[in-house]
Amino acid sequence: MNIKPIIYSIYERHFFKFMKFLSSGLPSFLLAVPLNILLVEIVKLDKTLSYSIVILIQITINFFILKKFAFDKNNSIPTLKQFLLFLGGIFFFRAIDVGVFTLMVKYFNIYYIIAQIINVLFFSIVKYLYSKKIIEGS
């Protein structure tokens, strides 16, 4: 069995949408880092609480950007229902994200901004596939 056509097919179907997905997350990511710094360094919130607040803001911003720019709009599910499904699923992934972040920061002494960046990279693929399913319905 030749694996090259399978890999090319996956690449062809997902690469450009994945790049649009990542690009769509850039505005909220660029907001998230300084917001996290502000909440931790100035407001003096606990790092995990701060990161959780940042995540909730990111999820909301990302949904509307993804719906508008990254994915096809052929889903017949009403936007509010899509948002709630998106919010629930992404919140689940981000809860795991927060757990991993907490482990890295509190138990492995990784600088919190580095931990945040690692998590963004790590969870991008799973969130892409889930988001695509919710927004496109495919």
Side-chain angles (χ1 to χ4, degrees):
M1 177 178 171
N2 189 352
I3 192 112
K4 281 186 180 180
I6 294 169
I7 292 172
Y8 182 75
S9 175
I10 292 169
Y11 167 81
E12 188 176 63
R13 281 185 311 195
H14 292 284
F15 180 76
F16 292 108
K17 276 191 183 178
F18 185 64
M19 290 298 109
K20 285 170 71 175
F21 172 81
L22 291 178
S23 299
S24 294
L26 194 56
S28 66
F29 174 71
L30 292 174
L31 171 69
V33 172
L35 180 58
N36 202 11
I37 292 169
L38 173 82
L39 293 174
V40 170
E41 303 295 337
I42 307 295
V43 179
K44 303 293 186 199
L45 285 183
D46 174 76
K47 292 171 186 155
T48 301
L49 176 61
S50 171
Y51 191 53
S52 299
I53 291 168
V54 168
I55 285 171
L56 184 58
I57 292 168
Q58 279 186 285
I59 290 171
T60 303
I61 292 169
N62 283 348
F63 173 77
F64 291 103
I65 292 174
L66 289 173
K67 187 158 176 63
K68 180 85 173 159
F69 298 109
F71 294 117
D72 298 332
K73 295 146 188 77
N74 58 0
N75 194 339
S76 63
I77 297 174
T79 299
L80 179 59
K81 185 173 181 180
Q82 283 181 9
F83 176 69
L84 294 175
L85 289 168
F86 181 84
L87 183 66
I90 297 299
F91 184 75
F92 171 76
F93 295 125
R94 294 309 288 247
I96 296 169
D97 180 344
V98 170
V100 171
F101 173 85
T102 301
L103 285 172
M104 286 191 286
V105 170
K106 290 190 177 183
Y107 298 103
F108 293 101
N109 246 358
I110 296 173
Y111 184 63
Y112 71 99
I113 297 301
I114 299 300
Q116 181 178 1
I117 292 168
I118 290 169
N119 277 9
V120 166
L121 298 173
F122 182 75
F123 285 97
S124 290
I125 293 171
V126 174
K127 292 187 302 182
Y128 163 76
L129 294 171
Y130 182 77
S131 300
K132 183 177 183 326
K133 175 75 173 161
I134 294 301
I135 295 172
E136 288 187 345
S138 57

